[in-house]
Amino acid sequence: MKVNAKFGVGTMLTAMLLVSMAFMPTVSAQANENVGVKAENIGFSMEKEYGKLFLEKTGYSAKLTSPIPLKNLEGNVEAVVFSVNNEGYIIINVNDLSVPEFSMTSENPFIDKNKNHYYNGPLAYVEEELKSERIKTTYIYKKERVNKSKKLSELKKTDMETSNVQLLSGASGILSHSLRTWEDNNIYCGPIAAGINLIYLDDYIDNDFVASAYENQNDLLDFITSGYIDNSGTYAWQLRNGLNGYIEDRNLDNEYSAYATSFDYSKLMSLINDDKPVDVSTNNHPTFDHHWIIAHGYFIQDVPYVVPQPYIVINNGWGDNNINVLVDDYLINQVWIE
């Protein structure tokens, strides 16, 4: 993946989508129920308490430290990130206490409290100032304000009434083995996602997927980009066609094919249950727009929410597995082999 260009083909967004970033409404800071106040006036105590209970009810013992505010594309504080147990992180929305992203094993992507950080949903990180002319996404991460005190109380009540395992529905699944954690600043995310998918199938499904000479990161990614998938921004149909060309040349086309559809959570769940990774594209990064990630698990969180919260467990394409991201409209396409 190119340095500072890990995301692929984008759609242009006019500067009208970015409201003046200097504007900050004056509101009461009472009980941390505020929205859009200056970051230094927020203690994030409610978010910290909620995040700790959220992780405990998901089965993790958690210590949350080092809160850093995250701004939305309008320049208002939209979320906060905490480090977890000094080895993971959790991001919590300050308007509705939703958790768009967390990992118990991956390093906090925000570490410098002295810089401005912008967050446009899972894996969409921008440091320092964000210029309106650089914005290339049509997906805008911004949540409506809810009664956070009530939502925290509901979670506390659930904590007293249910065990951890009851918080998760029966709808959950994970691949039988871990994905490779390949990262390469000279290779774009599409070929990396394809390579991680292929090597998993070769390792655990059918060892004819990759010739023995290419069963390593450098040789397989070089081989893929030299004749099947361009080392550039990649649409879903390009990823599918490149994989099908590769499958045909491996004489596997009578048994396997690559497919591409819009994001389909039900289909993703069935593929994970069948031990098949799923390449998923996002379209929410402000400056790069599209990015390919690799799903290797899923779960649905039922309590204490009225509407169940579906998550996918992903490899981010930058060397990390086991990042949990909330399903939303920023997930647009998926490609898989079966």
Side-chain angles (χ1 to χ4, degrees):
M1 198 175 296
K2 300 293 186 184
V3 175
N4 295 325
K6 293 178 178 176
F7 294 77
V9 179
T11 55
M12 296 303 296
L13 180 69
T14 66
M16 293 172 60
L17 286 174
L18 187 63
V19 179
S20 174
M21 299 174 72
F23 173 75
M24 291 285 186
T26 303
V27 297
S28 169
Q30 181 179 359
N32 194 17
E33 292 283 353
N34 43 13
V35 178
V37 300
K38 292 182 178 180
E40 59 266 28
N41 293 333
I42 303 178
F44 299 116
S45 59
M46 187 174 293
E47 287 78 8
K48 182 177 181 179
E49 185 175 6
Y50 188 90
K52 184 175 186 297
L53 283 172
F54 174 94
L55 291 174
E56 288 177 352
K57 294 302 296 179
T58 312
Y60 300 106
S61 176
K63 180 180 180 181
L64 277 59
T65 58
S66 307
I68 297 177
L70 308 176
K71 295 180 180 181
N72 61 24
L73 298 190
E74 294 178 353
N76 295 324
V77 174
E78 182 72 23
V80 57
V81 59
F82 294 92
S83 294
V84 178
N85 299 343
N86 297 318
E87 58 185 0
Y89 69 94
I90 184 171
I91 296 174
I92 304 169
N93 189 282
V94 301
N95 293 322
D96 68 356
L97 295 179
S98 58
V99 179
E101 177 179 350
F102 71 97
S103 174
M104 301 303 292
T105 59
S106 296
E107 183 180 359
N108 188 337
F110 307 96
I111 56 176
D112 192 341
K113 290 186 175 183
N114 296 319
K115 293 182 178 180
N116 283 318
H117 297 283
Y118 295 87
Y119 183 69
N120 198 43
L123 309 179
Y125 319 135
V126 175
E127 202 173 71
E128 293 299 346
E129 292 304 320
L130 180 61
K131 304 298 183 181
S132 60
E133 62 270 17
R134 293 173 55 200
I135 295 178
K136 298 181 180 181
T137 180
T138 55
Y139 175 91
I140 305 298
Y141 177 72
K142 183 179 180 181
K143 299 300 180 181
E144 295 295 326
R145 184 181 180 185
V146 303
N147 186 331
K148 297 194 294 185
S149 295
K150 183 176 183 293
K151 190 168 182 179
L152 178 58
S153 296
E154 290 173 349
L155 185 55
K156 288 180 178 178
K157 182 179 178 181
T158 302
D159 185 51
M160 293 184 292
E161 294 178 350
T162 64
S163 65
N164 291 343
V165 70
Q166 289 175 305
L167 183 60
L168 299 179
S169 74
S172 62
I174 197 79
L175 295 182
S176 60
H177 303 275
S178 295
L179 295 177
R180 303 286 185 99
T181 52
W182 290 353
E183 178 182 21
D184 189 325
N185 285 333
N186 294 311
I187 304 293
Y188 277 76
C189 54
I192 287 179
I196 290 175
N197 199 322
L198 287 170
I199 199 65
Y200 184 89
L201 296 177
D202 183 71
D203 285 340
Y204 306 113
I205 305 298
D206 186 334
N207 60 12
D208 287 333
F209 263 103
V210 179
S212 57
Y214 298 104
E215 289 178 338
N216 63 84
Q217 175 179 337
N218 291 338
D219 289 330
L220 182 56
L221 293 182
D222 286 347
F223 185 61
I224 289 172
T225 56
S226 66
Y228 299 100
I229 301 170
D230 288 342
N231 190 23
S232 61
T234 308
Y235 288 112
W237 64 267
Q238 293 172 311
L239 199 63
R240 176 201 62 200
N241 290 353
L243 286 170
N244 275 328
Y246 176 95
I247 289 169
E248 182 177 356
D249 287 349
R250 291 293 299 158
N251 296 316
L252 295 171
D253 49 313
N254 288 330
E255 302 176 66
Y256 304 97
S257 292
Y259 302 89
T261 66
S262 298
F263 181 78
D264 183 336
Y265 193 62
S266 295
K267 180 61 178 178
L268 182 144
M269 289 190 292
S270 70
L271 288 163
I272 297 297
N273 291 342
D274 197 32
D275 208 27
K276 304 294 195 309
V278 185
D279 298 335
V280 178
S281 64
T282 70
N283 73 335
N284 62 322
H285 196 280
T287 54
F288 304 113
D289 196 10
H290 286 57
H291 178 54
W292 285 99
I293 57 181
I294 309 95
H296 58 91
Y298 68 90
F299 62 92
I300 299 178
Q301 199 165 26
D302 280 343
V303 180
Y305 307 98
V306 175
V307 178
Q309 304 292 292
Y311 283 82
I312 58 175
V313 187
I314 61 103
N315 174 305
N316 64 5
W318 307 321
D320 293 302
N321 282 328
N322 302 320
I323 297 172
N324 308 280
V325 295
L326 186 62
V327 171
D328 204 345
D329 291 342
Y330 71 97
L331 301 173
I332 56 170
N333 295 114
Q334 60 191 42
V335 175
W336 70 93
I337 298 170
E338 63 175 339

